[in-house]
Amino acid sequence: MSAQKDRWVSSLVFLLFCACSIPRSGSASVQQEPSPQHYFSGLEAGKTSLAFFTPSVSPGGQPFLEQIESSAEALQDYGVSVVKVNCPREDVSRYCGKENALRKAFLFRGNRLIREFPTDALFDVNSIVANVLFALLFNEVKYIETLADLENIENVLKGKSNMVFAYVPATGTAEHRAVMEAAFVYGTIHQFVLTTEAALLKATSHDDPDVSSAWLLFCHCQRATDPAQPCRRTALAQPLTLLSIHRHLKLMGAPLVTEVAEDPEKISTVHLQLGLPLVFILSQKETYEADRRTAEFVAWQLLGKAGVALLSRDLVDLNVLHRSNVALKTPDEGMPIQYLVLEDTDEVITLVEDKNKVKQIQEDEQEEEEEDEDEKENNNQDIQDDQVVEAVSRDKKRELPLEQILVLTEENFHSSLSKAAQTVVLFYASWEAVSLAVLRSYSEVAAHLQGTPGVLLSRVNCWDWTGLCSQENVTQFPTMRIYKEGRQSVTYGGMWGTEELSSFILLSQVSCPLKLATLDEAEGFLRGEFPPELSSHLHTSLLGVFSAATSKAREAFEEAGNILSGHVRMGMYFEDDALALSRKYSVSPPALLLARNGGRSVESIALSKHSVQDMVQMIRYELLDIFPEITVPNLPQYLQLGKPFLILFSAGDISQMESEEMLKLAEGRPQQAFVACWLNLKKTPVGHGILRTYFSTPPSLPVLLWVNLHAGGQVFKFPSEQPITEMNILSWLEKLQAGLEIPSSTLSEEDWKPPLPAYDFLQMMEPSVPELSLRPGDTPAQHPPRDPRGDTAGGDTATREEPAQESTAEEEVGSPGRGLRGTAPRLAARDKQGKRHSEL
């Protein structure tokens, strides 16, 4: 309906209200006609009149005359005049005969008789107006008696027009009159259907309705296109009056969800004008689609009770808490808008239906703010048992720059994988501390790799999209995978620092192993110049050299490359002139050439074992530095070797002499039984804590220690009075082996295990249905009982924009769309950490 037509209808209804309720001077009355001949001669085409014929004296008809006199004013508002015709005594015609005198009334349009009414059916003003309008609106109002009649009308209307279905216990009542007066105004817009059959009302309801009361259902048939699906119905909750029907139809004609992009204080909708509250769902561009569905779901639940608007944070600068996800505007003048943090859509519905809910939520939020203030005053209370949780909590107010990271949902996940040659996906949980810490590194990676061709960085919040993460077999957080051309995926298994993540993503761009076609390409690969996109990044290069007779070893090398993709730069050369490359580096195929530091040193390694696992293990070992600097990221790699550590603690960079002596020691015995390494306390401050564990009083630096973490936990300290040389260290190690040295300390044999067992968080989460229809992996829930007057109590889940064929699936899942995705944490009341990071 156009805006102009809508205003016309509203104006007409307003005039009808005024006509029915405001006393007027010179009100309409029954017109007097002296004779039938005079009445019929004065009838005009298109004019409607209700006439009753009576003798000059008829005391028995006085009650009827009083009611017909009272109805004249109401009928005049609908263009119907009431006429009393005096019949001469000698007139025995059809209208003036004894059988008709004051027993029947006649409705004419022009000189054509539309209908005759027995006067006992016109017992009061309501019955007179109702029956007259029902006769006039014969084509606009269908009277039905069976369920089949109702279904036939619905099928005709589907995709074309909506229907207003009314049940009245009896015709001629005030409710019947209200329905007919509404049909007079709205009959050209909606199809009105009327019944007095109690059995039909029961057949359209799931419960046992009260057939002694009138009912009215608005049937949304215009959006229904599937003949197999019934039209969605919204019941009128108030008693049937002309005003309540008009109000209900106005609400049904309003947009289901209004999208706004201005200050909510300035927003005015038909709901506010009619005295209903307006609920704002606060959204952001990354989660727009999910927030839109959430708003539509809430709107269907609150249809007729409140309006719903979708407010974009990106377009409106709101001076409210970032975690606020819902706002409530009441029709009361002077009342401020309430900004709230709600867990799910059930709370939004309760917010409207229970006015005390707003006060309770505000009190809870005030208590939480007071707790936050107390935490600020006492820093000791902000220290968490878990160091990662403590670090995230300490930095909780920092906003992460996530604009360059694409947000993935169940709808756009698979389509987004094909947008780039390489799509990086971080699966995380927005309430979990490690995920939030990694997300911080991930945002830095996005800034570092901005503009890198063929790379798309994205993220999936598994708390919102549980089904998607389950389908991708993500059972721990965080998990990072790289999808190549939307199909093959590689899972990252290293440290979560920015440098490590960036290196893995860049290395994953290149085939592993990279097949080299010429000797020049092979030499350039060893120098770190090939492939060109990685020439600026320092990586150890590993080149496999094979001949035609070593196909089995080559196949194992290729499979090992698939396993190590992203972790190492591997190349493969097996052309006819491979022997020339082998002779240059004094090795026979199959062999590995390991180039460190841009090819300045190339090691030749013969391949004696050809199984994939042996080759992977050997490559990982050979990639380790000979005399590494131990850091937090690389420590696990060396711990996995299960060997004792000969570790030099230094207050900064070690001297050149110490470096040369330790390097000679490390290179002196291939596959030696210990790891020679060093630790810079300035770069890795955690080393101070290690020394405090080893010694009651930390020694002066540098200090050389022998630590066997895997057997006995004994710590031996190299004599500080001796210079650190290869010969002195070897002599000291021989004494250790002979048992001639006393350990400085012995570490506890207590097994360091996590305080709690690992959890499969996806299994623990409640089943999530982000859309309003069933999807693979979702668990249907029991559908709640439905209100006999419609779906307002049972939870109508379809949206006005979605085709009707989805309504069956939506009804089967009960109440989907529970979580306020992208707008609120679902653990708000249970996990303060998750709530603080809800924007993620």
Side-chain angles (χ1 to χ4, degrees):
M1 180 174 63
S2 65
Q4 183 177 2
K5 193 171 185 180
D6 188 36
R7 289 193 296 270
W8 177 84
V9 171
S10 301
S11 302
L12 179 56
V13 172
F14 176 74
L15 292 175
L16 290 177
F17 295 153
C18 295
C20 296
S21 59
I22 302 177
R24 298 174 299 173
S25 59
S27 299
S29 61
V30 177
Q31 299 179 19
Q32 302 291 332
E33 293 291 347
S35 65
Q37 292 79 8
H38 189 274
Y39 168 70
F40 286 115
S41 63
L43 293 178
E44 300 179 20
K47 299 290 185 178
T48 305
S49 59
L50 176 65
F52 60 95
F53 298 81
T54 177
S56 300
V57 180
S58 181
Q62 190 62 33
F64 169 72
L65 292 177
E66 293 175 356
Q67 297 299 323
I68 204 75
E69 178 77 27
S70 301
S71 67
E73 182 179 348
L75 289 175
Q76 186 184 47
D77 293 327
Y78 299 100
V80 180
S81 60
V82 179
V83 183
K84 176 184 176 183
V85 182
N86 294 316
C87 293
R89 292 180 180 276
E90 66 278 5
D91 192 342
V92 292
S93 64
R94 173 185 178 185
Y95 300 106
C96 289
K98 292 183 179 181
E99 68 278 3
N100 288 332
L102 278 185
R103 293 183 181 178
K104 292 184 179 180
F106 302 89
L107 185 64
F108 291 93
R109 179 174 285 135
N111 58 4
R112 182 172 64 89
L113 176 64
I114 297 177
R115 186 166 180 181
E116 58 183 53
F117 304 97
T119 54
D120 57 358
L122 309 179
F123 46 85
D124 60 9
V125 175
N126 289 329
S127 62
I128 293 172
V129 175
N131 281 291
V132 169
L133 292 180
F134 190 51
L136 292 177
L137 301 175
F138 179 79
N139 293 323
E140 286 78 9
V141 180
K142 304 291 186 183
Y143 181 83
I144 60 174
E145 298 180 347
T146 65
L147 182 61
D149 295 335
L150 180 64
E151 292 174 348
N152 290 337
I153 295 176
E154 279 191 341
N155 291 333
V156 172
L157 295 177
K158 285 177 181 176
K160 301 175 183 177
S161 179
N162 297 318
M163 179 176 69
V164 179
F165 173 55
Y167 162 79
V168 292
T171 58
T173 60
E175 293 85 358
H176 182 207
R177 173 184 173 179
V179 172
M180 299 314 304
E181 288 180 317
F184 186 86
V185 179
Y186 293 97
T188 57
I189 304 169
H190 309 303
Q191 176 64 63
F192 278 72
V193 175
L194 180 70
T195 188
T196 57
E197 299 295 330
L200 177 55
L201 176 63
K202 293 181 178 180
T204 58
S205 305
H206 293 273
D207 296 332
D208 188 17
D210 180 10
V211 296
S212 62
S213 301
W215 298 74
L216 185 138
L217 302 175
F218 186 88
C219 305
H220 307 269
C221 296
Q222 194 167 12
R223 296 292 179 179
T225 56
D226 186 358
Q229 298 295 331
C231 297
R232 188 176 303 281
R233 299 163 185 168
T234 303
L236 171 63
Q238 293 78 29
L240 257 66
T241 64
L242 179 56
L243 181 59
S244 65
I245 296 175
H246 166 68
R247 184 174 180 270
H248 192 63
L249 297 184
K250 288 287 290 182
L251 293 173
M252 297 302 102
L256 184 65
V257 175
T258 304
E259 295 196 29
V260 296
E262 58 179 313
D263 187 352
E265 295 285 358
K266 302 177 182 178
I267 300 297
S268 178
T269 66
V270 65
H271 305 87
L272 294 171
Q273 297 165 9
L274 295 176
L276 296 178
L278 181 62
V279 176
F280 292 91
I281 303 296
L282 307 187
S283 177
Q284 51 193 2
K285 62 181 180 181
E286 292 87 352
T287 57
Y288 169 79
E289 293 298 333
D291 296 338
R292 172 79 188 184
R293 288 191 303 274
T294 298
E296 290 170 347
F297 173 78
V298 171
W300 277 110
Q301 304 301 303
L302 297 177
L303 196 58
K305 301 176 184 178
V308 176
L310 189 64
L311 176 62
S312 174
R313 284 183 175 270
D314 304 303
L315 302 178
V316 182
D317 185 16
L318 297 176
N319 187 23
V320 297
L321 294 176
H322 192 76
R323 67 174 185 254
S324 298
N325 58 349
V326 172
L328 179 67
K329 184 176 184 179
T330 61
D332 304 324
E333 292 187 8
M335 291 296 294
I337 294 179
Q338 307 295 330
Y339 291 90
L340 308 167
V341 179
L342 302 183
E343 294 185 38
D344 52 37
T345 53
D346 284 342
E347 285 201 353
V348 182
I349 297 167
T350 305
L351 181 70
V352 173
E353 298 176 345
D354 184 2
K355 295 183 179 180
N356 295 325
K357 185 69 174 178
V358 179
K359 184 177 180 181
Q360 177 186 343
I361 293 174
Q362 290 176 333
E363 290 176 352
D364 293 343
E365 291 184 355
Q366 184 176 0
E367 291 178 1
E368 291 178 4
E369 293 298 327
E370 292 175 355
E371 291 177 2
D372 290 343
E373 292 298 326
D374 293 339
E375 290 177 358
K376 291 179 181 178
E377 294 175 3
N378 187 354
N379 291 332
N380 292 332
Q381 294 179 0
D382 199 35
I383 302 300
Q384 306 288 329
D385 292 337
D386 187 288
Q387 292 183 0
V388 177
V389 174
E390 192 275 329
V392 172
S393 177
R394 185 177 60 247
D395 208 17
K396 59 190 173 186
K397 297 299 182 182
R398 175 184 175 187
E399 291 189 9
L400 299 181
L402 303 175
E403 298 81 7
Q404 302 173 23
I405 303 175
L406 178 65
V407 176
L408 299 184
T409 66
E410 286 194 350
E411 287 75 17
N412 67 355
F413 180 80
H414 295 289
S415 61
S416 299
L417 296 184
S418 59
K419 290 183 179 179
Q422 182 173 263
T423 303
V424 186
V425 183
L426 177 67
F427 298 90
Y428 69 100
S430 58
W431 51 267
E432 193 259 335
V434 177
S435 290
L436 298 176
V438 171
L439 196 58
R440 190 171 304 159
S441 299
Y442 196 58
S443 66
E444 296 173 357
V445 172
H448 179 66
L449 298 182
Q450 184 179 7
T452 303
V455 177
L456 175 64
L457 266 64
S458 61
R459 57 190 172 102
V460 175
N461 187 349
C462 289
W463 183 242
D464 280 344
W465 307 106
T466 312
L468 172 60
C469 295
S470 296
Q471 292 171 17
E472 293 300 310
N473 196 29
V474 176
T475 58
Q476 64 182 15
F477 307 129
T479 294
M480 190 181 82
R481 287 184 183 160
I482 296 181
Y483 293 81
K484 295 185 178 180
E485 298 179 351
R487 297 186 300 274
Q488 181 184 5
S489 67
V490 177
T491 302
Y492 178 66
M495 302 296 289
W496 291 103
T498 303
E499 183 178 349
E500 290 79 10
L501 291 175
S502 300
S503 175
F504 178 76
I505 293 171
L506 289 172
L507 279 176
S508 297
Q509 284 187 281
V510 183
S511 299
C512 189
L514 182 66
K515 296 180 180 179
L516 305 170
T518 66
L519 276 176
D520 290 340
E521 288 184 357
E523 294 283 2
F525 181 82
L526 292 175
R527 292 191 299 269
E529 300 171 356
F530 193 88
E533 58 265 33
L534 297 182
S535 59
S536 60
H537 300 273
L538 294 178
H539 295 286
T540 299
S541 300
L542 187 70
L543 178 64
V545 182
F546 303 94
S547 63
T550 58
S551 58
K552 184 177 180 180
R554 188 183 74 189
E555 292 173 0
F557 184 77
E558 289 187 73
E559 185 61 31
N562 293 331
I563 297 174
L564 297 172
S565 176
H567 297 282
V568 60
R569 182 160 70 173
M570 293 175 60
M572 183 170 61
Y573 190 71
F574 54 92
E575 301 299 328
D576 294 338
D577 53 357
L579 291 177
L581 192 65
S582 302
R583 285 193 294 270
K584 178 178 179 179
Y585 293 101
S586 303
V587 69
S588 300
L592 300 182
L593 300 179
L594 185 64
R596 306 179 191 271
N597 303 321
R600 288 193 293 270
S601 63
V602 178
E603 302 173 34
S604 303
I605 305 168
L607 283 176
S608 57
K609 298 181 179 180
H610 298 165
S611 71
V612 176
Q613 287 303 116
D614 289 340
M615 199 169 293
V616 169
Q617 185 176 358
M618 184 199 70
I619 291 174
R620 283 176 172 165
Y621 179 80
E622 295 295 340
L623 289 174
L624 297 177
D625 290 334
I626 299 174
F627 177 55
E629 177 188 355
I630 293 298
T631 62
V632 172
N634 67 14
L635 176 60
Q637 303 176 26
Y638 295 95
L639 284 176
Q640 289 176 355
L641 298 177
K643 299 178 181 180
F645 275 49
L646 179 65
I647 181 168
L648 176 63
F649 287 83
S650 173
D653 291 336
I654 59 178
S655 66
Q656 183 177 357
M657 186 273 293
E658 292 171 337
S659 177
E660 291 175 353
E661 293 295 323
M662 292 291 294
L663 189 59
K664 286 191 294 182
L665 179 70
E667 291 177 337
R669 299 179 181 179
Q671 304 293 334
Q672 58 186 303
F674 60 87
V675 176
C677 56
W678 69 287
L679 191 148
N680 186 345
L681 294 180
K682 285 188 176 180
K683 184 183 294 186
T684 311
V686 71
H688 291 287
I690 297 174
L691 289 178
R692 284 193 295 269
T693 302
Y694 292 168
F695 304 97
S696 57
T697 302
S700 58
L701 300 178
V703 60
L704 183 65
L705 303 178
W706 173 277
V707 184
N708 193 344
L709 298 172
H710 305 281
Q714 293 179 328
V715 179
F716 294 88
K717 177 177 174 292
F718 180 76
S720 57
E721 66 275 7
Q722 295 184 20
I724 298 177
T725 64
E726 180 185 12
M727 295 301 298
N728 289 341
I729 296 173
L730 289 175
S731 176
W732 178 61
L733 292 180
E734 290 177 358
K735 292 180 181 180
L736 290 180
Q737 188 174 7
L740 301 178
E741 291 286 330
I742 300 175
S744 301
S745 63
T746 302
L747 301 179
S748 172
E749 295 182 359
E750 180 183 356
D751 192 6
W752 294 353
K753 293 182 178 180
L756 295 174
Y759 290 114
D760 185 346
F761 290 105
L762 290 178
Q763 185 66 30
M764 295 170 61
M765 294 178 190
E766 60 179 342
S768 170
V769 187
E771 280 73 32
L772 306 178
S773 58
L774 279 175
R775 293 182 176 274
D778 294 335
T779 304
Q782 189 67 30
H783 185 63
R786 298 176 53 153
D787 190 289
R789 295 189 286 183
D791 292 335
T792 55
D796 204 338
T797 60
T799 62
R800 196 170 294 193
E801 285 71 23
E802 293 182 351
Q805 57 263 33
E806 297 183 5
S807 60
T808 297
E810 293 158 4
E811 291 175 359
E812 290 175 359
V813 298
S815 299
R818 294 291 188 191
L820 299 178
R821 311 190 190 290
T823 61
R826 291 192 285 176
L827 289 183
R830 289 166 281 171
D831 188 298
K832 293 201 299 182
Q833 188 64 39
K835 183 164 61 177
R836 291 188 178 116
H837 293 273
S838 61
E839 65 271 19
L840 303 179

